[in-house]
Amino acid sequence: MDFTVFNRDNYFTTELLDDEWDTNCGKVKVQFYRRPLSKIVSSVIDAGFIIEKLLEPMPIEQFKIAQPNIYDRLTKKPQFLFIRARKQ
């Protein structure tokens, strides 16, 4: 998702990105690394973990009522990836 939102040239590049998130307390500056999915998964495996679950979460119905525009966007363009892993 970050690849398209930030209009990057190379999906396979790992890079540090800056963003602003709207919160209940106002805008917050956030820095994070964008990586291709293969880099995320292989790093977890190479560190000796077994991936038990990989999830791209969907917003709940209560969120649809509270934020219909954002709900619609997140049901088509997820912004988070959760990995449950355990050490071998």
Side-chain angles (χ1 to χ4, degrees), residues 3 7-15 34 36:
F3 174 73
N7 197 26
R8 309 317 292 172
D9 291 329
N10 185 346
Y11 171 80
F12 294 102
T13 301
T14 296
E15 56 190 336
R34 188 200 64 74

Side-chain angles (χ1 to χ4, degrees), residues 4-82:
T4 56
V5 168
F6 287 87
N7 197 26
R8 309 317 292 172
D9 291 329
N10 185 346
Y11 171 80
F12 294 102
T13 301
T14 296
E15 56 190 336
L16 183 62
L17 298 176
D18 294 305
D19 197 8
E20 271 191 355
W21 293 1
D22 292 320
T23 71
N24 292 338
C25 299
K27 291 190 181 279
V28 174
K29 289 186 179 187
V30 179
Q31 243 185 5
F32 58 93
Y33 283 94
R34 188 200 64 74
R35 297 173 175 86
L37 181 59
S38 60
K39 179 77 170 185
I40 295 167
V41 171
S42 61
S43 295
V44 172
I45 292 168
D46 292 346
F49 288 88
I50 295 172
I51 295 175
E52 295 181 332
K53 191 170 193 175
L54 188 136
L55 178 66
E56 295 169 293
M58 296 289 285
I60 60 175
E61 281 297 314
Q62 290 91 336
F63 190 73
K64 183 178 185 177
I65 295 165
Q67 299 284 336
N69 292 339
I70 298 172
Y71 175 90
D72 186 55
R73 184 183 77 224
L74 291 176
T75 58
K76 296 174 184 148
K77 297 178 180 178
Q79 290 187 306
F80 291 95
L81 175 72
F82 296 134

